[in-house]
Amino acid sequence: MPTLILVRHGRSTANTEGLLAGWTPGVALDERGAAQAAALPGRLAGLPLAEVVASPLQRCQETVRPLLDARPGLRAHTDERIGECHYGDWSGRKLAELKDEPLMEVVQAHPSAAAFPGGESMRAMQTRAAEAVREWNARVERDHGADAVYLMCSHGDIIKSLVAEALGLHLDLFQRISVEPCSVTAIRYTRLRPYLVRLGDTGDFASLAPREEPAEGDAPVGGSAGAP
């Protein structure tokens, strides 16, 4: 079965403003995110990508654009099932104020029981994304062969949930996984089991350096903003 390259979108204006974007329209890449996207074709130059599938949200579409421009023959697709979690009433709000919501404790410690007001549950988010991957695996293998490599550009919580699913981890453990903006995660699928072969690879270790303000213990909903 194929190898899936999961790319989180580049850093967005919502990341730098500390907002939970969700499906809020008009959330674009910021200057750093645009530079990350511009570097993506070079980082992936050695991979014979068969297809590109992206979330419909602007920040993902902008992330894959330089790659598609560099490879004019590469077929691109949009799939809403790998779009961001529907955070409902939380969408567009500041993460700093959301941390005091009682639901945030559930999101952190028991995400399989978390459902966003006016939105969807994290369990439903994982299910739709995993179904999309299974269908695209079959389609890519049918059209390009069992050894094909294809790319999906999606969002932090989606990618974390797919990694957890591939590793056989319960969704309640997915907050232990971290994927930074424009990071590359690779999962090789086989008939019997998937293998996680890369996780959150940016090629940049700046985010591991100590910061003046220590990071909070909780996992950022939607994903971190990456290195400053």
Side-chain angles (χ1 to χ4, degrees):
M1 295 180 70
T3 296
L4 170 60
I5 307 298
L6 287 162
V7 175
R8 185 183 168 201
H9 61 78
R11 196 173 75 176
S12 71
T13 53
N15 292 144
T16 49
E17 293 169 8
L19 300 176
L20 184 61
W23 284 71
T24 304
V27 177
L29 298 182
D30 67 6
E31 186 176 350
R32 181 184 178 121
Q36 291 170 332
L40 193 59
R43 291 170 60 198
L44 301 177
L47 288 177
L49 297 174
E51 310 270 359
V52 169
V53 186
S55 155
L57 295 172
Q58 180 178 340
R59 51 199 183 273
C60 286
Q61 296 288 324
E62 290 179 350
T63 298
V64 298
R65 177 48 51 196
L67 177 63
L68 297 173
D69 288 345
R71 302 193 192 192
L74 189 57
R75 288 193 293 179
H77 312 269
T78 297
D79 194 324
E80 290 196 357
R81 295 173 297 175
I82 61 167
E84 181 63 283
C85 184
H86 291 276
Y87 296 116
D89 298 344
W90 280 27
S91 300
R93 293 179 60 187
K94 284 194 170 293
L95 289 165
E97 65 183 42
L98 288 171
K99 70 179 183 180
D100 295 326
E101 294 277 355
L103 178 60
M104 183 60 85
E105 187 176 8
V106 182
V107 170
Q108 292 294 329
H110 191 17
S112 65
F116 296 97
E120 71 178 333
S121 69
M122 303 201 90
R123 193 170 60 254
M125 172 201 75
Q126 183 187 44
T127 298
R128 63 171 164 85
E131 287 177 351
V133 167
R134 282 190 284 272
E135 289 184 19
W136 277 103
N137 280 350
R139 178 173 173 174
V140 169
E141 181 172 5
R142 181 197 68 204
D143 294 344
H144 303 281
D147 294 326
V149 180
Y150 75 107
L151 181 147
M152 280 186 169
C153 183
S154 188
H155 307 266
D157 281 348
I158 294 286
I159 294 172
K160 288 163 56 178
S161 75
L162 289 172
V163 169
E165 203 252 358
L167 292 175
L169 294 177
H170 196 281
L171 183 62
D172 286 344
L173 300 179
F174 100 127
Q175 297 290 29
R176 301 184 184 195
I177 299 165
S178 177
V179 289
E180 293 191 8
C182 224
S183 62
V184 172
T185 293
I187 302 172
R188 180 172 295 127
Y189 289 87
T190 73
R191 186 174 64 86
L192 297 179
R193 65 182 67 85
Y195 293 89
L196 179 67
V197 292
R198 291 287 188 281
L199 176 61
D201 189 342
T202 63
D204 178 1
F205 298 104
S207 64
L208 301 179
R211 303 188 184 185
E212 292 182 8
E213 297 182 7
E216 294 188 19
D218 285 343
V221 181
S224 72

